[in-house]
Amino acid sequence: MSSPHARLPLSRRGFLLASTGAAASLALTPSPARAAGGRRPFGRFGSPAARLTPRTLYVDPRGRGDHATVKDAVTAATGSGWTLVLAPGTYRETVAVDVTRTEATWIGATEDPRDVVIVYDNAAGTPKPGGGTYGTTGSATTTVQAEGFTARWITFANDWLRADHPDITGTQAVALKVQGDRSAFHHCRFLGHQDTLYADSTALTSFARQYFSHCYAEGDVDFVFGRATAVYENCHFRTLDRTDLAAAPYGFVFAPSTAGANPRGYLVTRGRVSGEAPDAAYKLARPWVPSSDTTARPSLVVRDTWLGPGIDATAPYTNMSDTFPWQNQRFAEYRNTGPGARITVPENRPQLTAEQAESATRETYLGDWRPWKESC
């Protein structure tokens, strides 16, 4: 999506300089044993000599698996129902899971997302070989279009830095774009700056359901965005500091683009929004009505969530375009806490009634799909 700022100096590359396991903004580092891969690089999930199932492939950059890259493993896993077990490592590559590779599962072998990092550094304005630029969608490090995709304990990142490319104005840089129905992410991390996590669908008429549980996402401008029906449960969203701006807003956490015909968009429940920026520097959300769908009615419910002081409590929402004011969209809150949740101007903070909140649940949003009951 377009940025209101021409150039944003960034400082996040440090989390990916280690050879394995990103240090990340939480100042967490992998253990030496995990970073080295240990004697059992695939943990409790078998090995090429002792496969969990015939449709399990093992990925290890040090050559102890079936493939050394995620891309090669995805290429080999044709059809439905494959599991990829990823050994500790930083996988610097772009990966795409097309619509034919359904019911896939990716597992970070150490069960710690810091240890398995899939990262690349394309931005929307990055020149493509042969001409043109990648655009927002093409900038994604990982793209998932297939239905029934599940990932556990993996970091998806884009470490493209605006400060390194002052000549590029298309600064959107997606870590993950996910479009498939029944896409689930458990204990995963999404690291970037602008447009980090693109929770979307394959078409305006496709109401893709997605579930994010105990995940972490960080960024600055619209870093969780798209038109999926997505539930974020027990997730942590962290806003990054900015040193180039004299005044707020520094950015926006959510930018849903829900289709008008879709009764449900984003649901954030039992989450946390923290930040490195000064108090009230960030807006909680702004609606994205793309030029490709001017009938969109962005939908966001944030409930039972702690909002830190970095969120502007007086005016937590703003417009992306004055043609489509946020007040005409579907934004609401319920029982939030924290300094960023204080209601000082009631008209700026629409609240669900207790009766309305009864349908603002993961069960209502996801229907007959119950990803929180799935085990690994």
Side-chain angles (χ1 to χ4, degrees):
M1 292 173 298
S2 62
S3 168
H5 313 293
R7 181 169 174 257
L8 312 180
L10 305 179
S11 59
R12 283 288 129 194
R13 179 160 286 171
F15 64 74
L16 290 168
L17 293 181
S19 60
T20 57
S25 61
L26 294 182
L28 300 174
T29 56
S31 68
R34 285 177 173 175
R39 296 182 178 179
R40 298 178 59 200
F42 304 108
R44 64 182 175 92
F45 301 102
S47 69
R51 295 185 193 277
L52 291 183
T53 70
R55 296 178 81 83
T56 300
L57 293 176
Y58 296 88
V59 187
D60 178 28
R62 300 176 63 189
R64 296 166 293 181
D66 300 300
H67 301 279
T69 70
V70 181
K71 180 181 292 185
D72 285 348
V74 170
T75 299
T78 58
S80 182
W82 286 88
T83 295
L84 304 187
V85 181
L86 279 59
T90 297
Y91 299 84
R92 180 161 286 276
E93 54 182 305
T94 59
V95 186
V97 182
D98 66 37
V99 296
T100 68
R101 290 169 164 79
T102 57
E103 311 304 328
T105 298
W106 293 5
I107 298 171
T110 66
E111 302 178 60
D112 186 332
R114 296 171 296 172
D115 297 334
V116 175
V117 181
I118 305 173
V119 59
Y120 209 70
D121 61 349
N122 283 330
T126 300
K128 294 172 61 176
T133 57
Y134 283 98
T136 300
T137 290
S139 75
T141 297
T142 303
T143 302
V144 178
Q145 294 183 313
E147 295 186 352
F149 180 86
T150 299
R152 296 178 184 273
W153 306 299
I154 295 173
T155 293
F156 300 88
N158 190 318
D159 66 347
W160 187 88
L161 301 181
R162 296 181 184 91
D164 290 350
H165 304 277
D167 56 318
I168 292 179
T169 56
T171 57
Q172 302 88 343
V174 177
L176 172 73
K177 178 169 184 176
V178 55
Q179 298 176 281
D181 186 39
R182 294 181 294 105
S183 297
F185 297 83
H186 305 271
H187 301 278
C188 289
R189 299 191 306 164
F190 310 97
L191 309 181
H193 286 265
Q194 181 176 351
D195 291 10
T196 304
L197 173 56
Y198 196 170
D200 204 47
S201 67
T202 55
L204 293 178
T205 55
S206 175
F207 302 159
R209 295 166 297 173
Q210 298 166 9
Y211 179 68
F212 300 83
S213 171
H214 298 89
C215 290
Y216 170 87
E218 69 175 25
D220 48 37
V221 178
D222 306 328
F223 64 93
V224 181
F225 73 112
R227 66 173 174 242
T229 297
V231 174
Y232 305 89
E233 185 170 36
N234 294 305
C235 291
H236 180 188
F237 307 91
R238 187 165 179 83
T239 60
L240 302 180
D241 199 5
R242 301 277 301 279
T243 59
D244 60 320
L245 298 180
Y250 284 14
F252 320 90
V253 181
F254 302 101
S257 57
T258 320
N262 188 352
R264 299 173 187 91
Y266 286 1
L267 171 64
V268 179
T269 178
R270 293 188 288 177
R272 181 183 180 211
V273 179
S274 68
E276 302 174 355
D279 291 358
Y282 273 81
K283 302 293 186 181
L284 184 60
R286 62 178 183 171
W288 177 30
V289 180
S291 58
S292 59
D293 180 21
T294 57
T295 64
R297 284 199 65 214
S299 173
L300 168 70
V301 172
V302 180
R303 63 171 299 171
D304 301 296
T305 290
W306 185 85
L307 305 180
I311 297 300
D312 181 356
T314 301
Y317 307 105
T318 191
N319 300 335
M320 186 176 293
S321 167
D322 290 342
T323 305
F324 305 103
W326 72 265
Q327 293 90 342
N328 292 349
Q329 313 311 321
R330 294 175 286 179
F331 286 2
E333 301 177 52
Y334 186 68
R335 293 194 313 197
N336 294 323
T337 58
R342 289 183 295 107
I343 301 175
T344 58
V345 183
E347 59 267 31
N348 287 346
R349 308 209 70 146
Q351 302 289 310
L352 297 179
T353 65
E355 182 178 2
Q356 290 170 330
E358 291 179 359
S359 61
T361 65
R362 62 188 184 182
E363 290 83 1
T364 300
Y365 274 60
L366 301 181
D368 59 357
W369 179 45
R370 297 289 190 267
W372 54 89
K373 292 186 177 181
E374 298 172 359
S375 60
C376 185

